[in-house]
Coordinates of all heavy atoms in Angstrom, one line a residue:
G54 N 0.8 -1.2 0.0 CA 0.0 0.0 0.0 C 0.9 1.2 0.0 O 2.1 1.2 0.1
L55 N 0.2 2.3 -0.1 CA 0.9 3.6 -0.1 C 1.3 4.0 1.4 O 0.5 3.8 2.3 CB 0.0 4.7 -0.6 CG -0.4 4.6 -2.1 CD1 -1.4 5.7 -2.5 CD2 0.9 4.7 -3.0
E56 N 2.5 4.5 1.5 CA 2.9 4.9 2.8 C 2.9 6.4 2.8 O 3.2 7.1 1.8 CB 4.4 4.4 3.1 CG 4.4 3.0 3.3 CD 5.8 2.5 3.7 OE1 6.5 3.4 4.3 OE2 6.2 1.4 3.5
T57 N 2.6 7.0 3.9 CA 2.6 8.5 4.0 C 3.7 8.9 5.0 O 4.1 8.1 5.9 CB 1.2 9.0 4.6 OG1 1.0 8.4 5.9 CG2 0.1 8.7 3.7
A58 N 4.2 10.1 4.7 CA 5.3 10.6 5.6 C 4.7 10.9 6.9 O 3.6 11.3 7.1 CB 5.9 11.8 4.9
P59 N 5.5 10.6 8.0 CA 5.1 11.0 9.3 C 4.9 12.5 9.5 O 5.5 13.3 8.8 CB 6.2 10.5 10.2 CG 7.4 10.3 9.4 CD 6.9 10.1 8.0
T60 N 4.0 12.9 10.4 CA 3.8 14.3 10.6 C 4.3 14.7 12.0 O 4.0 14.0 13.0 CB 2.3 14.6 10.5 OG1 1.9 14.3 9.1 CG2 2.0 16.1 10.7
A61 N 5.0 15.8 12.1 CA 5.4 16.3 13.4 C 4.3 17.3 13.8 O 3.9 18.1 13.0 CB 6.7 17.0 13.3
T62 N 3.8 17.1 15.0 CA 2.7 18.0 15.4 C 3.2 19.1 16.4 O 4.1 18.9 17.1 CB 1.6 17.2 16.1 OG1 2.1 16.5 17.2 CG2 0.9 16.2 15.2
N63 N 2.6 20.2 16.3 CA 2.9 21.4 17.1 C 4.3 21.7 17.2 O 5.0 21.9 18.2 CB 2.4 21.1 18.6 CG 0.9 20.9 18.6 OD1 0.1 21.6 17.9 ND2 0.4 19.9 19.4
V64 N 4.9 21.9 16.0 CA 6.4 22.2 15.9 C 6.6 23.6 16.4 O 5.9 24.6 16.0 CB 6.8 22.1 14.4 CG1 8.3 22.5 14.3 CG2 6.7 20.6 14.0
V65 N 7.6 23.8 17.2 CA 8.0 25.1 17.8 C 9.5 25.2 17.7 O 10.3 24.3 18.0 CB 7.6 25.2 19.3 CG1 8.1 26.5 19.9 CG2 6.2 24.9 19.5
I66 N 9.9 26.4 17.2 CA 11.4 26.7 17.2 C 11.6 27.8 18.3 O 10.8 28.8 18.4 CB 11.8 27.4 15.8 CG1 11.6 26.3 14.7 CG2 13.2 27.9 15.9 CD1 11.9 26.9 13.3
V67 N 12.6 27.5 19.1 CA 12.9 28.4 20.3 C 14.3 28.8 20.2 O 15.2 28.0 19.9 CB 12.6 27.7 21.6 CG1 13.0 28.6 22.8 CG2 11.2 27.2 21.7
D68 N 14.5 30.1 20.3 CA 15.9 30.7 20.4 C 16.0 31.6 21.6 O 15.1 32.5 21.7 CB 16.2 31.4 19.1 CG 17.7 31.7 18.9 OD1 18.5 31.3 19.8 OD2 18.1 32.3 17.9
T69 N 17.0 31.4 22.4 CA 17.2 32.3 23.5 C 18.4 33.2 23.2 O 19.5 32.8 22.9 CB 17.5 31.5 24.8 OG1 16.4 30.6 25.1 CG2 17.7 32.4 26.0
L70 N 18.1 34.5 23.2 CA 19.2 35.5 22.8 C 20.2 35.7 23.9 O 19.8 35.6 25.1 CB 18.5 36.8 22.4 CG 17.6 36.8 21.2 CD1 17.0 38.2 21.0 CD2 18.2 36.3 20.0
P71 N 21.4 36.1 23.6 CA 22.4 36.4 24.6 C 21.9 37.7 25.4 O 21.2 38.5 24.9 CB 23.6 36.7 23.9 CG 23.5 36.0 22.6 CD 22.0 36.1 22.3
L72 N 22.3 37.8 26.7 CA 21.9 38.9 27.5 C 22.3 40.2 26.8 O 23.4 40.3 26.3 CB 22.6 38.8 28.9 CG 22.0 39.7 30.0 CD1 20.5 39.4 30.2 CD2 22.8 39.4 31.2
G73 N 21.4 41.2 26.8 CA 21.7 42.5 26.2 C 21.2 42.6 24.7 O 21.2 43.7 24.2
L74 N 20.9 41.5 24.1 CA 20.3 41.6 22.7 C 18.8 41.5 22.7 O 18.2 40.8 23.6 CB 20.9 40.4 21.8 CG 22.3 40.5 21.5 CD1 22.7 39.3 20.5 CD2 22.7 41.8 20.8
S75 N 18.2 42.2 21.8 CA 16.7 42.2 21.7 C 16.3 41.9 20.2 O 17.0 42.5 19.3 CB 16.1 43.6 22.1 OG 16.4 43.8 23.5
Y76 N 15.3 41.2 20.0 CA 14.8 40.9 18.7 C 14.3 42.2 18.1 O 13.7 43.0 18.7 CB 13.6 39.9 18.8 CG 12.9 39.7 17.5 CD1 13.5 38.9 16.5 CD2 11.6 40.2 17.3 CE1 12.8 38.7 15.3 CE2 11.0 40.0 16.1 CZ 11.6 39.2 15.1 OH 11.0 39.0 13.9
V77 N 14.6 42.3 16.8 CA 14.1 43.5 16.0 C 12.8 43.1 15.3 O 12.8 42.2 14.5 CB 15.2 43.9 14.9 CG1 14.6 45.0 14.0 CG2 16.5 44.3 15.5
P78 N 11.7 43.7 15.8 CA 10.4 43.3 15.2 C 10.4 43.4 13.7 O 10.9 44.4 13.1 CB 9.4 44.3 15.9 CG 10.1 44.7 17.1 CD 11.6 44.7 16.8
G79 N 9.7 42.4 13.1 CA 9.6 42.4 11.6 C 10.8 41.9 10.9 O 10.8 41.9 9.6
S80 N 11.9 41.4 11.6 CA 13.1 41.1 10.9 C 13.2 39.6 10.5 O 14.1 39.2 9.8 CB 14.3 41.5 11.7 OG 14.4 40.7 12.9
T81 N 12.2 38.8 10.9 CA 12.3 37.4 10.5 C 12.1 37.2 9.0 O 11.2 37.8 8.4 CB 11.2 36.6 11.2 OG1 11.3 36.7 12.6 CG2 11.2 35.1 10.8
S82 N 13.0 36.4 8.4 CA 13.0 36.2 7.0 C 13.3 34.7 6.7 O 14.2 34.2 7.3 CB 14.0 37.1 6.3 OG 14.0 36.9 4.9
P83 N 12.6 34.1 5.9 CA 11.4 34.6 5.1 C 10.2 34.6 6.1 O 10.1 33.8 7.0 CB 11.2 33.5 4.0 CG 11.7 32.3 4.6 CD 12.9 32.7 5.5
A84 N 9.3 35.5 5.8 CA 8.1 35.7 6.7 C 7.2 34.5 6.6 O 6.5 34.1 7.6 CB 7.3 36.9 6.2
T85 N 7.2 33.8 5.5 CA 6.4 32.5 5.4 C 7.4 31.4 5.3 O 8.3 31.5 4.5 CB 5.5 32.6 4.1 OG1 4.7 33.7 4.2 CG2 4.7 31.3 4.0
P86 N 7.3 30.4 6.1 CA 6.3 30.0 7.0 C 6.4 30.5 8.4 O 5.6 30.1 9.3 CB 6.4 28.5 7.0 CG 7.8 28.2 6.9 CD 8.4 29.3 6.0
Y87 N 7.4 31.3 8.7 CA 7.7 31.6 10.1 C 6.9 32.7 10.8 O 6.4 32.5 11.9 CB 9.2 32.0 10.2 CG 10.1 30.9 9.7 CD1 10.8 31.0 8.5 CD2 10.2 29.7 10.5 CE1 11.6 29.9 8.1 CE2 11.0 28.6 10.0 CZ 11.7 28.8 8.8 OH 12.5 27.8 8.3
G88 N 6.7 33.8 10.1 CA 5.9 34.9 10.8 C 6.7 35.5 11.9 O 7.9 35.3 12.1
E89 N 6.0 36.2 12.8 CA 6.7 36.9 13.9 C 6.7 35.9 15.1 O 5.8 35.2 15.3 CB 5.9 38.1 14.3 CG 6.2 39.3 13.5 CD 7.6 39.8 13.6 OE1 8.0 40.4 14.6 OE2 8.4 39.6 12.6
P90 N 7.8 35.9 15.9 CA 7.9 35.1 17.0 C 7.1 35.7 18.2 O 6.8 36.9 18.2 CB 9.3 35.0 17.4 CG 9.8 36.4 16.9 CD 9.0 36.7 15.7
T91 N 6.8 34.9 19.2 CA 6.3 35.3 20.5 C 7.6 35.6 21.3 O 8.5 34.8 21.3 CB 5.5 34.3 21.2 OG1 4.4 34.0 20.4 CG2 5.1 34.8 22.6
V92 N 7.7 36.8 21.8 CA 8.9 37.2 22.5 C 8.6 37.3 24.0 O 7.7 38.0 24.4 CB 9.5 38.6 22.0 CG1 10.7 39.0 22.8 CG2 9.7 38.5 20.5
T93 N 9.3 36.6 24.8 CA 9.2 36.7 26.3 C 10.6 36.9 26.9 O 11.6 36.7 26.2 CB 8.6 35.4 26.9 OG1 9.4 34.3 26.5 CG2 7.1 35.2 26.4
V94 N 10.6 37.2 28.2 CA 11.9 37.4 28.9 C 12.0 36.3 30.0 O 11.0 36.2 30.8 CB 12.0 38.8 29.5 CG1 13.3 38.9 30.3 CG2 12.0 39.8 28.4
N95 N 13.0 35.5 30.0 CA 13.1 34.4 31.0 C 13.7 35.0 32.3 O 14.0 36.2 32.4 CB 14.0 33.3 30.4 CG 15.5 33.6 30.2 OD1 16.0 34.6 30.7 ND2 16.1 32.8 29.5
A96 N 13.8 34.1 33.3 CA 14.2 34.5 34.6 C 15.6 35.1 34.7 O 15.9 35.9 35.5 CB 14.2 33.3 35.6
A97 N 16.4 34.8 33.7 CA 17.8 35.3 33.6 C 17.8 36.7 32.9 O 18.9 37.3 32.7 CB 18.7 34.3 32.9
G98 N 16.7 37.2 32.4 CA 16.6 38.5 31.8 C 16.9 38.4 30.3 O 17.1 39.4 29.6
R99 N 16.9 37.2 29.7 CA 17.2 37.0 28.3 C 15.9 36.8 27.5 O 15.0 36.1 28.0 CB 18.1 35.8 28.1 CG 19.5 36.0 28.8 CD 20.3 34.7 28.9 NE 20.5 34.2 27.5 CZ 21.2 33.0 27.3 NH1 21.6 32.3 28.3 NH2 21.3 32.6 26.1
Q100 N 15.9 37.4 26.3 CA 14.7 37.2 25.5 C 14.7 35.8 24.9 O 15.7 35.3 24.4 CB 14.7 38.2 24.3 CG 14.2 39.6 24.7 CD 13.9 40.4 23.4 OE1 14.3 40.1 22.3 NE2 13.2 41.5 23.6
E101 N 13.5 35.2 24.9 CA 13.2 33.9 24.3 C 12.2 34.2 23.2 O 11.2 34.8 23.3 CB 12.6 32.9 25.3 CG 13.6 32.5 26.3 CD 13.1 31.4 27.2 OE1 11.9 31.1 27.2 OE2 13.9 30.9 28.0
L102 N 12.6 33.7 22.0 CA 11.8 33.8 20.8 C 11.2 32.5 20.5 O 11.9 31.5 20.5 CB 12.7 34.3 19.6 CG 13.6 35.5 19.9 CD1 14.4 35.8 18.6 CD2 12.8 36.7 20.4
R103 N 9.9 32.5 20.2 CA 9.2 31.2 19.9 C 8.4 31.4 18.6 O 7.5 32.3 18.5 CB 8.3 30.8 21.0 CG 8.9 30.4 22.2 CD 7.9 30.0 23.3 NE 8.6 29.7 24.5 CZ 9.2 28.6 24.9 NH1 9.1 27.5 24.1 NH2 9.8 28.4 26.0
W104 N 8.7 30.5 17.6 CA 7.9 30.5 16.4 C 7.1 29.3 16.4 O 7.6 28.1 16.5 CB 8.8 30.5 15.2 CG 9.5 31.8 14.9 CD1 9.1 32.7 14.0 CD2 10.8 32.2 15.4 NE1 10.0 33.8 14.0 CE2 11.1 33.5 14.8 CE3 11.7 31.6 16.3 CZ2 12.2 34.2 15.1 CZ3 12.9 32.4 16.6 CH2 13.1 33.6 16.0
L105 N 5.8 29.4 16.3 CA 4.8 28.3 16.3 C 4.5 27.9 14.9 O 3.9 28.7 14.2 CB 3.6 28.6 17.1 CG 3.8 29.2 18.5 CD1 2.4 29.6 19.1 CD2 4.5 28.2 19.4
L106 N 4.9 26.7 14.5 CA 4.8 26.3 13.1 C 3.7 25.3 12.8 O 3.5 24.9 11.7 CB 6.1 25.7 12.5 CG 7.3 26.7 12.6 CD1 8.5 26.1 12.1 CD2 7.0 28.0 11.9
G107 N 3.0 24.9 13.9 CA 1.9 23.9 13.7 C 2.4 22.6 13.3 O 3.5 22.1 13.7
D108 N 1.6 21.9 12.5 CA 2.0 20.5 12.0 C 2.8 20.6 10.8 O 2.6 21.4 9.9 CB 0.7 19.7 11.8 CG -0.1 19.5 13.0 OD1 0.4 19.7 14.1 OD2 -1.2 19.1 12.9
R109 N 3.9 19.8 10.7 CA 4.8 19.7 9.5 C 4.9 18.3 9.0 O 5.0 17.4 9.8 CB 6.2 20.2 9.9 CG 6.2 21.6 10.6 CD 5.7 22.7 9.8 NE 6.3 22.9 8.5 CZ 6.0 23.8 7.7 NH1 5.0 24.7 7.9 NH2 6.6 23.9 6.5
V110 N 4.8 18.1 7.7 CA 5.0 16.8 7.1 C 6.5 16.4 7.1 O 7.3 17.2 6.8 CB 4.5 16.8 5.7 CG1 4.7 15.5 5.0 CG2 3.0 17.1 5.6
G111 N 6.7 15.2 7.5 CA 8.1 14.7 7.6 C 8.8 14.7 6.2 O 8.1 14.5 5.2
G112 N 10.1 14.9 6.2 CA 10.8 14.9 4.9 C 10.7 16.2 4.1 O 11.4 16.3 3.1
V113 N 10.0 17.2 4.6 CA 9.9 18.5 3.9 C 10.7 19.5 4.7 O 10.4 19.9 5.8 CB 8.4 18.9 3.8 CG1 8.4 20.3 3.1 CG2 7.6 17.9 3.0
A114 N 11.8 19.9 4.1 CA 12.7 20.8 4.8 C 12.1 22.2 4.8 O 11.4 22.7 3.9 CB 14.1 20.9 4.0
L115 N 12.4 22.9 5.9 CA 12.0 24.3 6.1 C 13.1 25.2 5.5 O 14.3 24.8 5.6 CB 11.8 24.7 7.5 CG 10.6 24.0 8.2 CD1 10.6 24.2 9.7 CD2 9.3 24.6 7.6
P116 N 12.8 26.3 4.9 CA 13.9 27.2 4.5 C 14.7 27.8 5.7 O 14.1 27.9 6.8 CB 13.1 28.4 3.8 CG 11.7 28.3 4.3 CD 11.5 26.9 4.7
M117 N 15.9 28.1 5.4 CA 16.7 28.7 6.5 C 16.1 30.0 7.0 O 15.7 30.8 6.2 CB 18.1 29.0 6.1 CG 19.0 29.6 7.1 SD 20.7 29.9 6.6 CE 21.3 28.3 6.3
M118 N 16.0 30.2 8.3 CA 15.4 31.4 8.8 C 16.6 32.3 9.3 O 17.6 31.8 9.9 CB 14.5 31.1 10.0 CG 14.0 32.3 10.7 SD 13.4 32.2 12.4 CE 13.1 30.5 12.7
T119 N 16.4 33.6 9.2 CA 17.3 34.6 9.8 C 16.4 35.7 10.5 O 15.2 35.8 10.1 CB 18.2 35.3 8.7 OG1 17.3 36.0 7.8 CG2 19.0 34.3 8.0
F120 N 17.0 36.3 11.4 CA 16.4 37.5 12.1 C 17.5 38.4 12.6 O 18.6 38.0 12.7 CB 15.4 37.1 13.2 CG 16.0 36.3 14.3 CD1 16.6 37.0 15.4 CD2 16.1 34.9 14.3 CE1 17.2 36.4 16.4 CE2 16.7 34.3 15.4 CZ 17.2 35.0 16.4
R121 N 17.1 39.6 13.0 CA 18.1 40.5 13.5 C 17.8 40.7 15.0 O 16.7 40.7 15.5 CB 18.0 41.9 12.8 CG 18.5 41.8 11.4 CD 18.5 43.1 10.7 NE 17.1 43.6 10.7 CZ 16.7 44.7 10.2 NH1 17.5 45.5 9.6 NH2 15.4 45.0 10.2
A122 N 18.9 41.0 15.7 CA 18.8 41.2 17.2 C 19.8 42.3 17.5 O 20.8 42.5 16.8 CB 19.0 40.0 18.0

C-alpha cells in the first residue's frame, strides 16, 4: 500500500538570545512560513523567541530562517 510521511505536530522553534540583545520586530525572513515570534523574557533576563509552526510533514525541509537582534 501507499505509505505516508510521518507528521510532526505542534512544531516550535525556540531561540534564547544572549543577554543584552533584543529581537528586531519584523526582521524574521522569510516571513512565510515563520511569521513573527512570540517574545518573552526568561528569569535570567534574556529574550526567548518562539515561532509556532503547527504541524509539519516529515521529509519536507524548512527554508533557513534569519532574524536581527
Side-chain angles (χ1 to χ4, degrees):
L55 295 175
E56 292 187 26
T57 58
T60 299
T62 57
N63 300 319
V64 174
V65 178
I66 296 174
V67 178
D68 194 1
T69 302
L70 299 181
L72 195 58
L74 290 184
S75 297
Y76 173 74
V77 175
S80 67
T81 299
S82 179
T85 301
Y87 301 106
E89 281 294 288
T91 300
V92 180
T93 57
V94 177
N95 67 18
R99 297 169 59 182
Q100 279 193 344
E101 289 184 352
L102 313 177
R103 293 180 187 274
W104 288 267
L105 308 177
L106 301 180
D108 297 345
R109 307 300 302 181
V110 175
V113 178
L115 291 168
M117 181 182 293
M118 178 202 336
T119 62
F120 64 87
R121 291 182 300 180

